[in-house]
């Protein structure tokens, strides 16, 4: 029942249109205990990139974000294979324009541990972000690592 959510979903979380991009990666579906639904997308980076946003998982949304709206993105993640000599993985979560000026509503670093947990990133739209010019993505290319992503929920709510 979506009426219990604190805002409106930007997408259908039961039918996410994942779109992996970039070189030096492999992507697969894996069983993942503790993730709602029991499965996650495993995103393996074989070699880090000088442009970490080039190795990413895009997840387009289905509703425009309008100026002044708050956006909250909740997602399940863990680092199933940590970068060498690191205690966490490293990703960024971004929701923004895919054309100039490449501005964002959300652009936040997350450091997933080996333990599965839910993360939340948030932002406020300073301008309109129509779906024709914008998308959401998880950027992985910072390190040689494997990150598992479970379901995510992107919610908009009006300014308070």
């Amino acid at each position: 029942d979506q009426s219990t959510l604190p805002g409106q979903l930007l997408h259908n979380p039961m039918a996410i249109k994942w779109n992996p991009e970039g070189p030096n990666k492999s992507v697969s579906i894996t069983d993942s205990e503790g993730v709602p639904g029991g499965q996650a997308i495993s995103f393996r980076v074989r070699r880090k990139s000088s442009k970490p946003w080039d190795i990413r998982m895009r997840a387009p949304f289905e509703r425009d974000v309008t100026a002044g709206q708050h956006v909250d993105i909740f997602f399940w993640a863990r680092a199933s294979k940590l970068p060498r000599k690191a205690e966490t993985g490293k990703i960024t979560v971004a929701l923004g324009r895919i054309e100039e000026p490449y501005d964002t509503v959300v652009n936040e670093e997350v450091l997933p541990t080996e333990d599965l947990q839910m993360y939340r990133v948030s932002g406020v739209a300073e301008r309109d972000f129509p779906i024709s010019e914008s998308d959401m993505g998880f950027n992985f290319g910072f390190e040689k690592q494997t990150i598992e992503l479970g379901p995510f929920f992107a919610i908009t709510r009006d300014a308070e």
Side-chain angles (χ1 to χ4, degrees):
D1 180 16
Q2 292 185 18
S3 66
T4 60
L5 294 173
Q8 291 190 299
L9 286 168
L10 279 174
H11 64 100
N12 178 351
M14 304 310 289
I16 299 170
K17 297 174 179 79
W18 294 110
N19 183 14
E21 296 180 340
N24 300 308
K25 62 150 178 17
S26 60
V27 181
S28 61
I29 303 294
T30 186
D31 290 334
S32 188
E33 188 176 325
V35 172
Q39 292 187 319
I41 291 183
S42 178
F43 199 101
R44 179 178 167 227
V45 178
R46 292 190 292 266
R47 188 170 62 221
K48 74 178 189 175
S49 174
S50 61
K51 297 178 185 175
W53 54 89
D54 283 349
I55 303 174
R56 64 187 246 145
M57 181 75 79
R58 292 179 55 210
F61 49 92
E62 299 162 0
R63 288 187 42 249
D64 297 339
V65 175
T66 57
Q69 283 187 317
H70 293 258
V71 175
D72 296 305
I73 301 167
F74 300 89
F75 63 98
W76 291 90
R78 77 166 151 211
S80 58
K81 184 175 181 191
L82 294 170
R84 178 180 244 158
K85 299 181 181 178
E87 294 181 14
T88 66
K90 182 178 179 180
I91 63 176
T92 56
V93 182
L95 186 152
R97 212 169 306 277
I98 56 175
E99 56 188 44
E100 288 190 20
Y102 301 108
D103 50 337
T104 59
V105 178
V106 175
N107 189 7
E108 199 166 323
E109 181 179 281
V110 175
L111 303 173
T113 67
E114 292 178 292
D115 297 321
L116 180 70
Q117 58 186 313
M118 180 179 274
Y119 294 88
R120 175 185 175 212
V121 295
S122 301
V124 177
E126 293 181 9
R127 301 186 329 187
D128 290 344
F129 285 80
I131 59 172
S132 62
E133 299 174 6
S134 310
D135 75 2
M136 195 187 99
F138 297 85
N139 303 314
F140 298 99
F142 297 95
E143 300 289 344
K144 182 178 175 181
Q145 61 186 344
T146 302
I147 304 292
E148 290 181 7
L149 288 178
F152 81 91
F153 304 89
I155 298 170
T156 59
R157 52 192 168 85
D158 291 330
E160 298 170 354

